[in-house]
Amino acid sequence: MSVQIRAAILTASDSRTESNDTSGDELERLLKEMGAEIVERGIVSDDLRILREALYTLTERPDINLILTTGGTGFAPRDNTPEATRAVIDREAPGIAEAMRRETASKTPMSMLSRGIAGIRNRTLIVNLPGSPKGVTECFEVIRPILNHAIDLISGDTLH
């Protein structure tokens, strides 16, 4: 059995709009390319409280099993996505974030500055990706091979 990926894309930014959310556009393209259904897409402020509430609300929805965030993972004072994610998740999935940083560092040394995390709340996997389209593409290619299996496991399909 393979569970359909039903994804939400959440862009964390104080300056992005629907017309210039190139990272969100790239995530949508990549997800659709692998057969995922995009259930929700939005842009929220970098404000920690707003981000946390948005993630919490999305994890309460039974029609979403994957949330990919873009933006807010760096060192800037308003980069709050990892903290918002950590406040929402029940279990961290450190191997996902570690793999993205490890695999992209040879192409993009700045990936070492990413503080993005990944984790699970309810039956939803949340993964923080960088805010640039290039970073989104590079990181998504690292996690693409495990997404279906991760969603199957979270959904309760534990047969191997």
Side-chain angles (χ1 to χ4, degrees):
M1 175 178 119
S2 186
V3 175
Q4 171 71 35
I5 293 177
R6 295 176 317 279
I9 299 167
L10 190 64
T11 299
S13 177
D14 289 332
S15 59
R16 296 269 170 101
T17 64
E18 286 183 27
S19 64
N20 69 4
D21 184 16
T22 54
S23 298
D25 292 341
E26 181 64 3
L27 267 178
E28 184 170 343
R29 183 188 71 76
L30 291 164
L31 283 163
K32 285 181 176 177
E33 185 178 271
M34 68 176 289
E37 177 186 351
I38 310 303
V39 176
E40 183 76 32
R41 182 169 168 190
I43 301 170
V44 296
S45 161
D46 285 309
D47 181 78
L48 177 61
R49 183 186 53 79
I50 292 170
L51 267 168
R52 186 178 56 233
E53 287 175 10
L55 288 169
Y56 181 86
T57 299
L58 290 170
T59 61
E60 287 292 299
R61 290 182 50 178
D63 62 331
I64 294 173
N65 55 21
L66 174 66
I67 301 169
L68 297 181
T69 69
T70 176
T73 61
F75 283 19
R78 298 260 312 153
D79 286 340
N80 291 311
T81 304
E83 288 75 22
T85 303
R86 192 167 282 115
V88 169
I89 61 174
D90 298 319
R91 297 184 294 157
E92 195 162 345
I96 294 173
E98 290 166 5
M100 288 190 299
R101 281 187 282 274
R102 180 185 66 242
E103 295 301 317
T104 60
S106 62
K107 296 176 234 156
T108 308
M110 295 301 172
S111 69
M112 290 183 279
L113 301 180
S114 174
R115 299 179 313 105
I117 68 167
I120 302 159
R121 178 167 189 279
N122 292 336
R123 290 182 177 237
T124 306
L125 175 63
I126 304 172
V127 181
N128 300 155
L129 287 91
S132 74
K134 180 179 184 274
V136 161
T137 302
E138 289 178 357
C139 288
F140 189 86
E141 291 309 318
V142 173
I143 65 171
R144 180 195 303 260
I146 61 94
L147 284 178
N148 283 308
H149 188 59
I151 298 304
D152 285 347
L153 291 170
I154 292 168
S155 298
D157 180 7
T158 57
L159 298 176
H160 297 282

PDB file of all heavy atoms in Angstrom, residues 5 10 23-24 31-32 41 45 52 55 58 63 67 69-70 75 92 95 112 115 134 147 153 158:
ATOM      1  N   ILE A   5       0.271  11.228  -1.056  1.00  0.00           N
ATOM      2  CA  ILE A   5       0.792  12.415  -0.380  1.00  0.00           C
ATOM      3  C   ILE A   5      -0.171  13.559  -0.649  1.00  0.00           C
ATOM      4  O   ILE A   5      -0.468  13.891  -1.792  1.00  0.00           O
ATOM      5  CB  ILE A   5       2.215  12.766  -0.850  1.00  0.00           C
ATOM      6  CG1 ILE A   5       3.200  11.678  -0.406  1.00  0.00           C
ATOM      7  CG2 ILE A   5       2.633  14.134  -0.310  1.00  0.00           C
ATOM      8  CD1 ILE A   5       4.626  11.893  -0.872  1.00  0.00           C
ATOM      9  N   LEU A  10       3.891  25.958   2.848  1.00  0.00           N
ATOM     10  CA  LEU A  10       3.794  27.161   3.665  1.00  0.00           C
ATOM     11  C   LEU A  10       5.066  27.986   3.494  1.00  0.00           C
ATOM     12  O   LEU A  10       6.154  27.528   3.854  1.00  0.00           O
ATOM     13  CB  LEU A  10       3.592  26.787   5.136  1.00  0.00           C
ATOM     14  CG  LEU A  10       3.246  27.922   6.083  1.00  0.00           C
ATOM     15  CD1 LEU A  10       1.893  28.535   5.730  1.00  0.00           C
ATOM     16  CD2 LEU A  10       3.231  27.404   7.519  1.00  0.00           C
ATOM     17  N   SER A  23       9.843  30.249  -4.532  1.00  0.00           N
ATOM     18  CA  SER A  23      10.174  29.012  -3.816  1.00  0.00           C
ATOM     19  C   SER A  23       8.938  28.143  -3.634  1.00  0.00           C
ATOM     20  O   SER A  23       8.989  26.926  -3.796  1.00  0.00           O
ATOM     21  CB  SER A  23      10.789  29.332  -2.457  1.00  0.00           C
ATOM     22  OG  SER A  23      11.980  30.047  -2.627  1.00  0.00           O
ATOM     23  N   GLY A  24       7.815  28.771  -3.302  1.00  0.00           N
ATOM     24  CA  GLY A  24       6.563  28.037  -3.198  1.00  0.00           C
ATOM     25  C   GLY A  24       6.156  27.450  -4.537  1.00  0.00           C
ATOM     26  O   GLY A  24       5.684  26.311  -4.618  1.00  0.00           O
ATOM     27  N   LEU A  31       6.429  18.738  -6.123  1.00  0.00           N
ATOM     28  CA  LEU A  31       5.459  17.824  -5.514  1.00  0.00           C
ATOM     29  C   LEU A  31       4.519  17.236  -6.560  1.00  0.00           C
ATOM     30  O   LEU A  31       4.261  16.026  -6.573  1.00  0.00           O
ATOM     31  CB  LEU A  31       4.661  18.535  -4.421  1.00  0.00           C
ATOM     32  CG  LEU A  31       5.385  18.741  -3.107  1.00  0.00           C
ATOM     33  CD1 LEU A  31       4.682  19.797  -2.265  1.00  0.00           C
ATOM     34  CD2 LEU A  31       5.507  17.431  -2.348  1.00  0.00           C
ATOM     35  N   LYS A  32       4.009  18.065  -7.449  1.00  0.00           N
ATOM     36  CA  LYS A  32       3.109  17.575  -8.493  1.00  0.00           C
ATOM     37  C   LYS A  32       3.828  16.592  -9.413  1.00  0.00           C
ATOM     38  O   LYS A  32       3.242  15.602  -9.853  1.00  0.00           O
ATOM     39  CB  LYS A  32       2.534  18.738  -9.299  1.00  0.00           C
ATOM     40  CG  LYS A  32       1.456  19.495  -8.556  1.00  0.00           C
ATOM     41  CD  LYS A  32       0.898  20.621  -9.410  1.00  0.00           C
ATOM     42  CE  LYS A  32      -0.260  21.321  -8.719  1.00  0.00           C
ATOM     43  NZ  LYS A  32      -0.758  22.456  -9.519  1.00  0.00           N
ATOM     44  N   ARG A  41      -1.910  25.891   0.121  1.00  0.00           N
ATOM     45  CA  ARG A  41      -0.692  26.664  -0.101  1.00  0.00           C
ATOM     46  C   ARG A  41      -0.920  28.055   0.457  1.00  0.00           C
ATOM     47  O   ARG A  41      -1.962  28.662   0.218  1.00  0.00           O
ATOM     48  CB  ARG A  41      -0.367  26.737  -1.588  1.00  0.00           C
ATOM     49  CG  ARG A  41       0.910  27.498  -1.847  1.00  0.00           C
ATOM     50  CD  ARG A  41       1.405  27.367  -3.243  1.00  0.00           C
ATOM     51  NE  ARG A  41       2.448  28.354  -3.448  1.00  0.00           N
ATOM     52  CZ  ARG A  41       2.974  28.641  -4.615  1.00  0.00           C
ATOM     53  NH1 ARG A  41       2.579  27.999  -5.689  1.00  0.00           N
ATOM     54  NH2 ARG A  41       3.912  29.560  -4.711  1.00  0.00           N
ATOM     55  N   SER A  45       3.545  35.437   7.725  1.00  0.00           N
ATOM     56  CA  SER A  45       4.597  36.295   8.267  1.00  0.00           C
ATOM     57  C   SER A  45       5.671  35.448   8.951  1.00  0.00           C
ATOM     58  O   SER A  45       5.423  34.333   9.407  1.00  0.00           O
ATOM     59  CB  SER A  45       3.955  37.251   9.277  1.00  0.00           C
ATOM     60  OG  SER A  45       4.922  37.802  10.133  1.00  0.00           O
ATOM     61  N   ARG A  52       3.772  29.423  14.109  1.00  0.00           N
ATOM     62  CA  ARG A  52       3.409  28.296  14.972  1.00  0.00           C
ATOM     63  C   ARG A  52       1.924  27.970  14.831  1.00  0.00           C
ATOM     64  O   ARG A  52       1.544  26.802  14.686  1.00  0.00           O
ATOM     65  CB  ARG A  52       3.777  28.611  16.423  1.00  0.00           C
ATOM     66  CG  ARG A  52       3.558  27.443  17.380  1.00  0.00           C
ATOM     67  CD  ARG A  52       3.987  27.782  18.797  1.00  0.00           C
ATOM     68  NE  ARG A  52       3.303  28.954  19.283  1.00  0.00           N
ATOM     69  CZ  ARG A  52       3.904  30.037  19.795  1.00  0.00           C
ATOM     70  NH1 ARG A  52       5.210  30.068  19.907  1.00  0.00           N
ATOM     71  NH2 ARG A  52       3.203  31.059  20.212  1.00  0.00           N
ATOM     72  N   LEU A  55       1.211  26.307  11.394  1.00  0.00           N
ATOM     73  CA  LEU A  55       1.642  24.907  11.364  1.00  0.00           C
ATOM     74  C   LEU A  55       0.716  24.029  12.196  1.00  0.00           C
ATOM     75  O   LEU A  55       0.321  22.945  11.763  1.00  0.00           O
ATOM     76  CB  LEU A  55       3.085  24.777  11.866  1.00  0.00           C
ATOM     77  CG  LEU A  55       4.159  25.310  10.918  1.00  0.00           C
ATOM     78  CD1 LEU A  55       5.501  25.381  11.632  1.00  0.00           C
ATOM     79  CD2 LEU A  55       4.247  24.448   9.663  1.00  0.00           C
ATOM     80  N   LEU A  58      -2.554  23.440  10.347  1.00  0.00           N
ATOM     81  CA  LEU A  58      -2.396  22.511   9.228  1.00  0.00           C
ATOM     82  C   LEU A  58      -2.259  21.065   9.712  1.00  0.00           C
ATOM     83  O   LEU A  58      -2.771  20.144   9.076  1.00  0.00           O
ATOM     84  CB  LEU A  58      -1.197  22.903   8.363  1.00  0.00           C
ATOM     85  CG  LEU A  58      -1.363  24.180   7.542  1.00  0.00           C
ATOM     86  CD1 LEU A  58      -0.028  24.590   6.921  1.00  0.00           C
ATOM     87  CD2 LEU A  58      -2.437  24.012   6.469  1.00  0.00           C
ATOM     88  N   ASP A  63      -6.809  15.924   6.111  1.00  0.00           N
ATOM     89  CA  ASP A  63      -6.554  15.794   4.678  1.00  0.00           C
ATOM     90  C   ASP A  63      -5.133  16.194   4.293  1.00  0.00           C
ATOM     91  O   ASP A  63      -4.792  16.213   3.109  1.00  0.00           O
ATOM     92  CB  ASP A  63      -7.566  16.612   3.869  1.00  0.00           C
ATOM     93  CG  ASP A  63      -7.499  18.108   4.167  1.00  0.00           C
ATOM     94  OD1 ASP A  63      -7.134  18.483   5.302  1.00  0.00           O
ATOM     95  OD2 ASP A  63      -7.825  18.900   3.266  1.00  0.00           O
ATOM     96  N   ILE A  67       3.690  18.674   5.269  1.00  0.00           N
ATOM     97  CA  ILE A  67       3.812  20.128   5.192  1.00  0.00           C
ATOM     98  C   ILE A  67       5.262  20.436   4.862  1.00  0.00           C
ATOM     99  O   ILE A  67       6.175  20.017   5.580  1.00  0.00           O
ATOM    100  CB  ILE A  67       3.444  20.814   6.527  1.00  0.00           C
ATOM    101  CG1 ILE A  67       2.011  20.490   6.933  1.00  0.00           C
ATOM    102  CG2 ILE A  67       3.659  22.329   6.420  1.00  0.00           C
ATOM    103  CD1 ILE A  67       1.669  20.907   8.357  1.00  0.00           C
ATOM    104  N   THR A  69       7.717  23.610   4.395  1.00  0.00           N
ATOM    105  CA  THR A  69       7.856  25.048   4.567  1.00  0.00           C
ATOM    106  C   THR A  69       9.035  25.509   3.725  1.00  0.00           C
ATOM    107  O   THR A  69       9.978  24.753   3.474  1.00  0.00           O
ATOM    108  CB  THR A  69       8.091  25.435   6.035  1.00  0.00           C
ATOM    109  OG1 THR A  69       9.386  24.991   6.451  1.00  0.00           O
ATOM    110  CG2 THR A  69       7.002  24.873   6.946  1.00  0.00           C
ATOM    111  N   THR A  70       8.973  26.751   3.308  1.00  0.00           N
ATOM    112  CA  THR A  70      10.099  27.363   2.615  1.00  0.00           C
ATOM    113  C   THR A  70      10.326  28.741   3.225  1.00  0.00           C
ATOM    114  O   THR A  70       9.382  29.502   3.427  1.00  0.00           O
ATOM    115  CB  THR A  70       9.880  27.441   1.085  1.00  0.00           C
ATOM    116  OG1 THR A  70      10.987  28.141   0.492  1.00  0.00           O
ATOM    117  CG2 THR A  70       8.582  28.101   0.696  1.00  0.00           C
ATOM    118  N   PHE A  75      19.888  32.589   9.715  1.00  0.00           N
ATOM    119  CA  PHE A  75      20.405  33.221  10.922  1.00  0.00           C
ATOM    120  C   PHE A  75      19.805  34.593  11.199  1.00  0.00           C
ATOM    121  O   PHE A  75      20.099  35.200  12.223  1.00  0.00           O
ATOM    122  CB  PHE A  75      21.927  33.399  10.803  1.00  0.00           C
ATOM    123  CG  PHE A  75      22.727  32.144  11.025  1.00  0.00           C
ATOM    124  CD1 PHE A  75      22.176  30.878  10.930  1.00  0.00           C
ATOM    125  CD2 PHE A  75      24.074  32.240  11.322  1.00  0.00           C
ATOM    126  CE1 PHE A  75      22.933  29.740  11.129  1.00  0.00           C
ATOM    127  CE2 PHE A  75      24.844  31.105  11.531  1.00  0.00           C
ATOM    128  CZ  PHE A  75      24.274  29.856  11.437  1.00  0.00           C
ATOM    129  N   GLU A  92      10.826  14.670  16.590  1.00  0.00           N
ATOM    130  CA  GLU A  92      11.727  15.204  15.576  1.00  0.00           C
ATOM    131  C   GLU A  92      12.216  14.073  14.682  1.00  0.00           C
ATOM    132  O   GLU A  92      12.310  12.919  15.108  1.00  0.00           O
ATOM    133  CB  GLU A  92      12.906  15.925  16.242  1.00  0.00           C
ATOM    134  CG  GLU A  92      13.665  16.804  15.281  1.00  0.00           C
ATOM    135  CD  GLU A  92      14.553  17.845  15.952  1.00  0.00           C
ATOM    136  OE1 GLU A  92      14.395  18.090  17.159  1.00  0.00           O
ATOM    137  OE2 GLU A  92      15.393  18.406  15.240  1.00  0.00           O
ATOM    138  N   GLY A  95      17.261  13.006  10.933  1.00  0.00           N
ATOM    139  CA  GLY A  95      17.973  12.490   9.765  1.00  0.00           C
ATOM    140  C   GLY A  95      17.609  13.204   8.483  1.00  0.00           C
ATOM    141  O   GLY A  95      18.439  13.327   7.578  1.00  0.00           O
ATOM    142  N   MET A 112      25.176  25.177   5.176  1.00  0.00           N
ATOM    143  CA  MET A 112      25.581  24.968   6.564  1.00  0.00           C
ATOM    144  C   MET A 112      24.917  25.964   7.502  1.00  0.00           C
ATOM    145  O   MET A 112      24.859  25.752   8.709  1.00  0.00           O
ATOM    146  CB  MET A 112      27.096  25.063   6.703  1.00  0.00           C
ATOM    147  CG  MET A 112      27.826  23.902   6.081  1.00  0.00           C
ATOM    148  SD  MET A 112      29.599  24.011   6.348  1.00  0.00           S
ATOM    149  CE  MET A 112      30.066  25.156   5.060  1.00  0.00           C
ATOM    150  N   ARG A 115      19.091  26.203   9.524  1.00  0.00           N
ATOM    151  CA  ARG A 115      18.721  25.639  10.824  1.00  0.00           C
ATOM    152  C   ARG A 115      17.448  24.820  10.713  1.00  0.00           C
ATOM    153  O   ARG A 115      16.839  24.456  11.709  1.00  0.00           O
ATOM    154  CB  ARG A 115      18.512  26.775  11.839  1.00  0.00           C
ATOM    155  CG  ARG A 115      19.744  27.619  12.071  1.00  0.00           C
ATOM    156  CD  ARG A 115      19.529  28.759  13.057  1.00  0.00           C
ATOM    157  NE  ARG A 115      18.314  29.523  12.798  1.00  0.00           N
ATOM    158  CZ  ARG A 115      17.191  29.436  13.532  1.00  0.00           C
ATOM    159  NH1 ARG A 115      17.121  28.638  14.575  1.00  0.00           N
ATOM    160  NH2 ARG A 115      16.127  30.166  13.220  1.00  0.00           N
ATOM    161  N   LYS A 134      16.595  27.644  -5.640  1.00  0.00           N
ATOM    162  CA  LYS A 134      17.715  26.714  -5.801  1.00  0.00           C
ATOM    163  C   LYS A 134      17.838  25.810  -4.576  1.00  0.00           C
ATOM    164  O   LYS A 134      17.991  24.595  -4.695  1.00  0.00           O
ATOM    165  CB  LYS A 134      19.014  27.493  -6.025  1.00  0.00           C
ATOM    166  CG  LYS A 134      20.244  26.616  -6.200  1.00  0.00           C
ATOM    167  CD  LYS A 134      21.480  27.494  -6.438  1.00  0.00           C
ATOM    168  CE  LYS A 134      22.709  26.687  -6.721  1.00  0.00           C
ATOM    169  NZ  LYS A 134      23.414  26.261  -5.526  1.00  0.00           N
ATOM    170  N   LEU A 147      10.108  10.300   0.799  1.00  0.00           N
ATOM    171  CA  LEU A 147       8.825  10.901   1.175  1.00  0.00           C
ATOM    172  C   LEU A 147       7.671   9.909   1.177  1.00  0.00           C
ATOM    173  O   LEU A 147       6.902   9.855   2.133  1.00  0.00           O
ATOM    174  CB  LEU A 147       8.501  12.101   0.274  1.00  0.00           C
ATOM    175  CG  LEU A 147       9.271  13.376   0.574  1.00  0.00           C
ATOM    176  CD1 LEU A 147       8.898  14.472  -0.421  1.00  0.00           C
ATOM    177  CD2 LEU A 147       9.051  13.842   2.000  1.00  0.00           C
ATOM    178  N   LEU A 153       4.633   5.210   6.598  1.00  0.00           N
ATOM    179  CA  LEU A 153       4.905   4.849   7.993  1.00  0.00           C
ATOM    180  C   LEU A 153       4.086   5.698   8.965  1.00  0.00           C
ATOM    181  O   LEU A 153       3.485   5.171   9.903  1.00  0.00           O
ATOM    182  CB  LEU A 153       6.396   4.981   8.293  1.00  0.00           C
ATOM    183  CG  LEU A 153       7.315   3.971   7.613  1.00  0.00           C
ATOM    184  CD1 LEU A 153       8.768   4.374   7.800  1.00  0.00           C
ATOM    185  CD2 LEU A 153       7.054   2.579   8.130  1.00  0.00           C
ATOM    186  N   THR A 158       3.161  -0.010   8.251  1.00  0.00           N
ATOM    187  CA  THR A 158       4.514  -0.320   8.716  1.00  0.00           C
ATOM    188  C   THR A 158       5.069  -1.612   8.134  1.00  0.00           C
ATOM    189  O   THR A 158       6.122  -2.077   8.561  1.00  0.00           O
ATOM    190  CB  THR A 158       4.529  -0.398  10.257  1.00  0.00           C
ATOM    191  OG1 THR A 158       3.580  -1.377  10.680  1.00  0.00           O
ATOM    192  CG2 THR A 158       4.195   0.946  10.871  1.00  0.00           C
TER     193      THR A 158
END
